[in-house]
Amino acid sequence: MPPVPRVVVIGAGIVGCALADELTERGWTDVTVLEQGDLFATGGSTSHAPGLVFQTNACRTMTEFARYTVAKYGTLELDGKPCFRTVGGLEVATTPERLADLERRHGWATASGVESRLIDPGECAALHPMLDPAKVLGGFHIPSDGLAHPLRAAEAQARRAIGRGARFIAGQKVVGVEGSGGRVTGVTTGTGSFRADIVLSCAGMWGPVLGELVDLTIPLVPMAHQYARTSPLPSLAGVTEEATRPILRHQDADLYFREHVDRIGIGAYGHRPMPLPAKEIGTGEGMPSELAFTPADFEASWTAAVDLLPSLGETKVEEGINGLFSFTPDGMPLLGEHPGLDGFWVAEAVWITHSAGVARAMAQWLVDGRSDTDLHGCDLARFEPVQLAPDHVMARSCQSFVEVYDIVHPLQPMEEPRPLRTSPFYERQAGLGAYFLEASGWERPHWYEANANLPEVDRIPARNDWAARYWSPIGGAEALVARQRVAMFDMTSLKRVEVTGPGALPFLQTMTTNQLAKKPGSVTYTLLLDEDGGVRSDLTVARLGTERFQVGVNSAIDIDWLRRHLPGDGAAQIHETTPGTCCIGLWGPLARAVLQPLSTTDFSHQAMGYFKTKQAYIGHVPVTAMRLSYVGELGWELYTSADLGRELWDTLWEAGQAHGIIAAGREAFSSMRLEKGYRLWGTDVTTEHDPYEAGLGFAVRMDKGYFIGRDALAGRSAETVSRKLTCLTVDDPYSVVLGKEPVFADGRPAGYVTSAAYGYTVGKNIAYAWLPVEFTQQGRPLEIEYFGERIPAVVASEPLFDPAMARIRSAA
């Protein structure tokens, strides 16, 4: 047994207390929790948070965090008093758009296993009699939602941790973090030093200040959020219980409500963003996280509150605060280890709703090396460097605040600051009328208005209003033309690194599942696994030389993982090449006809087969050509340096005119890749799935020797799985689902949709879904719940398009 590490947790708010509890429960009992304030009303957001726990979230991980929080706090007491009160949650709609959104939210809850129901206005009023049923169109009720008592829950968990050996020490402001040899060794406070093998920053809105001590950007912004309490309500006179009615959300007006015995608490997000630099917190009088209430900012919220709950008109706002909470650029928590200081971890921007779930996941990560729950959306390493610029963090975090209760479409981008990252083709794309959306800071064309006159546009079926947002039938026409002729796709935003050195091959062999010991010029699809066999990512590895590999990765998280495992002797190095390079995907039956006349390199099938790579010249431009296709057509990914990108575009564009070439965008790309059944990591597959469940067992070579995760896969196969990623088709062209919807078998929830799109070539809606194996037989009828309605679907054999791979391997 390895020795139990010494752990220092910075911050005794609810997250720090929950982490101490979860760690000590797993046997890590040498835990010291340092708090700059008092125990346990520390002065952070835990001290003033109203404690509402609504579990439903578009993100399955966040829902799972909240579910565990409800389950855990529901069992906790402090001195005989409960830490959680199950009063239920009620969300109401006052507009048709919100009513449709509640139907969508009901689907999310069902897909995540949270019991809920859609109810009419009368049922809403029966659950919450203060509500005027004439003002609402319907509601969404979650019986297991409720009220956490943050201070009680924090102290109850702290006491459990103390009972196992943990220490909690107040009045200890951390002023320094010590390290040696790239690893943390302890922290210093105003009164002394504390040795540590692991330091966990759970400082909440003070996180950025702690980050500065270790040269780590913590991209969060403390933001004031208004919370007011009314004077006593005559209708609640004599009430003695803290709360009996459901917690209530009126998201159309950016409001939520909870009872405080005979008063009502009102939280408002409808006011202007009010950020405060982390260094300035606590510089005034009183509770550090509570700023003076600004009545003018609350006026519109009060009017809307009285309109929904008329009896509030008999009261007034008796007290209020502008309470500080942490907001991040994408609204998600910040979890993970410092990239340059081993042993320094963060768990920041975590709200009460998710506190216990985050603590459990972090404890699993630390003790077991991985969390049972997929954490890629919360990973500290997920941001690109440009996304960590202070102005960017501020602008996007403010937008996150504004959109807390907005109806946000899954394709809806942030509006500012844009554009940030543009490929060398950007001007050419703009000239073709590109409609850009953003991903990881990149501007990516989704379709081109220059293609509006393609005759194929008339063949594209209409779709429902929700699916028609950020969509155009032009994208469908581009997919059809790419299948018929040839198209240029901008693939610059695909993240890539070079791995070089005499140890490059052994390193990559250890990190990935497939056999990479091939001759230079080979390309291999492979997987990154964790030690338990979960799929961390999928990679495309091109061997450019004996000691040089180009690796296509999914995100900065992959680079962080690879760097953490580099050999200590320097025999392998990693260098990201994405910013200085660019890529065009030239795909379609006529791709070779466009490409070959431009080069002296032989691009015939015999000279350059599928999954092969060569260095070549395309006109004047040196390229790395890889015969790959994520859309299932003959073609190549053509990489060159950024300075030559526009020349590459122009050369291909001019040569392609005789062949009817077009520029095509992400709408066409997404449709074509689903027709081929190609998985999208992070959406279709995560660490929660193994390769065989995901249909990726072909990328695993158990006989190649050791690789991370190999031992966990022993005995597993496609025949032993209990669930599968499964292809479904829907005949109704109008009902285009977009992902995250629940799937029903025999009238009962059975799974959930991951990726979905209309297949323009196959003429069907496509939805991939995770299902128990007993429901995955070809032809099995199922249903997908979409905005409250059940849409018939059927299990289909995959891939739907070109299962013989004849087109992608074409010699023509």
Side-chain angles (χ1 to χ4, degrees):
M1 291 283 292
V4 174
R6 296 168 297 184
V7 179
V8 168
V9 178
I10 303 172
I14 198 166
V15 177
C17 292
L19 247 173
D21 182 35
E22 296 286 339
L23 287 172
T24 55
E25 185 178 40
R26 287 166 174 79
W28 281 21
T29 54
D30 191 352
V31 175
T32 301
V33 182
L34 304 177
E35 171 53 50
Q36 65 179 354
D38 297 326
L39 300 175
F40 287 91
T42 63
S45 57
T46 301
S47 303
H48 66 73
L52 285 76
V53 179
F54 287 93
Q55 297 166 84
T56 306
N57 194 288
C59 174
R60 288 178 58 84
T61 294
M62 297 294 275
T63 299
E64 181 56 32
F65 287 162
R67 286 182 65 189
Y68 183 73
T69 298
V70 166
K72 182 178 185 180
Y73 294 171
T75 66
L76 291 180
E77 291 186 347
L78 183 72
D79 298 330
K81 296 180 180 179
C83 295
F84 188 83
R85 184 178 292 271
T86 307
V87 295
L90 176 61
E91 303 179 23
V92 296
T94 59
T95 64
E97 294 79 13
R98 182 66 63 179
L99 186 63
D101 189 58
L102 294 186
E103 293 168 346
R104 186 170 63 124
R105 293 175 64 78
H106 174 260
W108 294 342
T110 303
S112 294
V114 177
E115 180 188 351
S116 65
R117 62 194 181 106
L118 296 166
I119 59 178
D120 62 30
E123 292 175 288
C124 292
L127 286 169
H128 203 295
M130 292 177 62
L131 187 152
D132 180 358
K135 298 293 185 181
V136 302
L137 302 178
F140 171 45
H141 180 228
I142 312 92
S144 58
D145 284 350
L147 288 167
H149 196 295
L151 291 178
R152 274 187 211 156
E155 187 170 351
Q157 291 174 100
R159 288 187 187 181
R160 297 196 335 174
I162 291 168
R164 303 184 190 110
R167 297 187 299 162
F168 282 71
I169 309 175
Q172 298 291 327
K173 182 176 181 178
V174 173
V175 296
V177 177
E178 302 164 4
S180 176
R183 180 159 195 94
V184 73
T185 59
V187 302
T188 57
T189 70
T191 62
S193 298
F194 297 83
R195 302 289 293 170
D197 303 301
I198 292 173
V199 174
L200 286 155
S201 177
C202 302
M205 52 198 169
W206 284 282
V209 178
L210 267 295
E212 287 186 7
L213 297 179
V214 290
D215 194 26
L216 175 66
T217 299
I218 305 292
L220 70 79
V221 176
M223 204 90 65
H225 154 59
Q226 292 199 300
Y227 190 77
R229 296 193 193 200
T230 68
S231 57
L233 272 80
S235 61
L236 297 179
V239 171
T240 58
E241 290 190 70
E242 180 186 6
T244 59
R245 297 168 182 174
I247 52 177
L248 175 65
R249 281 208 281 207
H250 178 20
Q251 291 163 298
D252 284 321
D254 296 304
L255 293 171
Y256 64 81
F257 306 85
R258 61 152 293 180
E259 293 174 280
H260 291 281
V261 189
D262 61 348
R263 293 162 169 79
I264 296 295
I266 307 168
Y269 288 103
H271 54 80
R272 61 190 169 90
M274 294 186 276
L276 182 71
K279 288 183 177 180
E280 297 181 17
I281 299 171
T283 55
E285 298 293 326
M287 183 75 75
S289 62
E290 294 183 8
L291 307 181
F293 189 66
T294 50
D297 290 305
F298 196 70
E299 288 178 1
S301 296
W302 177 250
T303 299
V306 173
D307 185 58
L308 183 69
L309 308 178
S311 60
L312 291 181
E314 304 173 50
T315 71
K316 63 180 180 178
V317 174
E318 193 167 76
E319 57 181 328
I321 62 168
N322 287 2
L324 292 172
F325 290 90
S326 299
F327 283 81
T328 61
D330 57 6
M332 296 290 283
L334 303 169
L335 313 178
E337 189 178 14
H338 193 307
L341 183 61
D342 291 349
F344 187 91
W345 292 72
V346 302
E348 308 288 19
V350 180
W351 291 11
I352 304 299
T353 301
H354 310 110
S355 54
V358 164
R360 178 181 64 168
M362 288 294 294
Q364 290 175 338
W365 197 352
L366 285 159
V367 177
D368 304 326
R370 70 181 296 272
S371 166
D372 292 341
T373 305
D374 166 45
L375 299 181
H376 83 273
C378 311
D379 198 307
L380 178 69
R382 68 189 182 268
F383 295 103
E384 296 291 315
V386 69
Q387 296 174 309
L388 297 176
D391 288 348
H392 187 276
V393 172
M394 176 63 73
R396 292 293 172 93
S397 297
C398 287
Q399 190 65 25
S400 290
F401 177 89
V402 170
E403 293 180 351
V404 163
Y405 281 173
D406 283 2
I407 300 171
V408 179
H409 192 277
L411 291 177
Q412 181 176 325
M414 290 282 194
E415 295 301 327
E416 297 292 339
R418 286 181 64 193
L420 282 175
R421 308 178 81 183
T422 58
S423 80
F425 322 129
Y426 182 74
E427 291 181 0
R428 295 292 188 257
Q429 293 163 342
L432 293 171
Y435 183 84
F436 292 101
L437 295 177
E438 185 211 43
S440 298
W442 288 100
E443 296 295 322
R444 303 196 305 183
H446 275 242
W447 66 84
Y448 293 85
E449 288 296 330
N451 296 324
N453 294 324
L454 289 170
E456 288 82 1
V457 171
D458 294 335
R459 294 165 49 189
I460 306 305
R463 54 174 59 188
N464 62 80
D465 291 344
W466 183 250
R469 297 186 188 183
Y470 306 100
W471 172 83
S472 169
I474 298 171
E478 291 171 359
L480 293 177
V481 171
R483 292 269 189 242
Q484 297 160 2
R485 301 197 298 271
V486 61
M488 292 164 54
F489 293 81
D490 182 0
M491 307 306 294
T492 300
S493 62
L494 294 182
K495 203 165 185 66
R496 49 203 169 272
V497 298
E498 281 200 357
V499 180
T500 57
L505 177 60
F507 167 65
L508 290 172
Q509 285 281 70
T510 299
M511 297 302 298
T512 71
T513 61
N514 213 335
Q515 178 59 262
L516 304 181
K518 302 173 182 177
K519 294 179 180 179
S522 64
V523 184
T524 307
Y525 177 83
T526 188
L527 308 174
L528 288 179
L529 304 183
D530 61 29
E531 290 286 3
D532 284 356
V535 181
R536 286 192 59 96
S537 190
D538 61 345
L539 312 179
T540 301
V541 180
R543 192 168 193 182
L544 305 182
T546 304
E547 299 182 357
R548 180 178 171 229
F549 296 80
Q550 178 172 309
V551 182
V553 301
N554 280 297
S555 73
I557 299 172
D558 295 345
I559 300 177
D560 181 67
W561 175 257
L562 291 170
R563 282 180 172 154
R564 290 183 187 279
H565 290 83
L566 281 170
D569 61 3
Q573 302 89 37
I574 294 175
H575 172 64
E576 184 180 354
T577 58
T578 317
T581 55
C582 57
C583 178
I584 291 175
L586 182 71
W587 292 315
L590 302 181
R592 186 177 283 117
V594 173
L595 191 60
Q596 187 60 80
L598 299 173
S599 181
T600 57
T601 299
D602 188 352
F603 284 97
S604 69
H605 183 67
Q606 293 73 22
M608 189 178 182
Y610 187 51
F611 265 78
K612 299 296 181 183
T613 182
K614 283 186 177 182
Q615 305 296 316
Y617 279 91
I618 306 301
H620 301 291
V621 181
V623 301
T624 298
M626 298 185 193
R627 190 169 169 196
L628 308 174
S629 176
Y630 205 50
V631 300
E633 291 292 338
L634 170 67
W636 290 262
E637 292 179 0
L638 303 171
Y639 295 89
T640 192
S641 55
D643 60 322
L644 292 169
R646 191 158 66 177
E647 176 68 14
L648 177 62
W649 178 282
D650 290 346
T651 299
L652 293 171
W653 184 254
E654 182 178 351
Q657 294 308 302
H659 302 282
I661 200 169
I662 63 166
R666 301 297 294 192
E667 171 65 28
F669 178 88
S670 297
S671 171
M672 296 171 79
R673 74 102 180 162
L674 278 183
E675 289 180 328
K676 286 297 294 178
Y678 294 149
R679 278 52 170 156
L680 179 62
W681 190 87
T683 300
D684 298 317
V685 186
T686 70
T687 54
E688 296 180 8
H689 314 109
D690 77 27
Y692 304 109
E693 296 171 325
L696 299 175
F698 66 88
V700 178
R701 294 291 180 268
M702 295 292 285
D703 59 354
K704 77 162 187 170
Y706 172 77
F707 56 84
I708 293 175
R710 181 185 185 278
D711 294 346
L713 295 185
R716 300 192 209 179
S717 69
E719 288 68 42
T720 65
V721 302
S722 60
R723 59 179 177 175
K724 288 173 61 177
L725 184 62
T726 306
C727 179
L728 312 181
T729 59
V730 176
D731 287 334
D732 177 10
Y734 188 72
S735 300
V736 180
V737 300
L738 297 181
K740 304 184 179 180
E741 298 85 1
V743 179
F744 287 75
D746 303 327
R748 303 176 70 85
Y752 61 94
V753 173
T754 57
S755 292
Y758 187 78
Y760 297 106
T761 313
V762 301
K764 293 178 181 290
N765 276 312
I766 307 167
Y768 271 77
W770 279 101
L771 292 167
V773 290
E774 58 264 32
F775 302 130
T776 61
Q777 301 86 2
Q778 185 177 350
R780 177 58 154 93
L782 299 165
E783 293 178 307
I784 300 173
E785 182 181 310
Y786 189 56
F787 286 93
E789 296 184 3
R790 304 278 179 87
I791 300 169
V794 65
V795 175
S797 176
E798 61 170 335
L800 296 170
F801 179 77
D802 189 27
M805 301 285 283
R807 295 172 73 100
I808 207 166
R809 299 180 186 276
S810 172

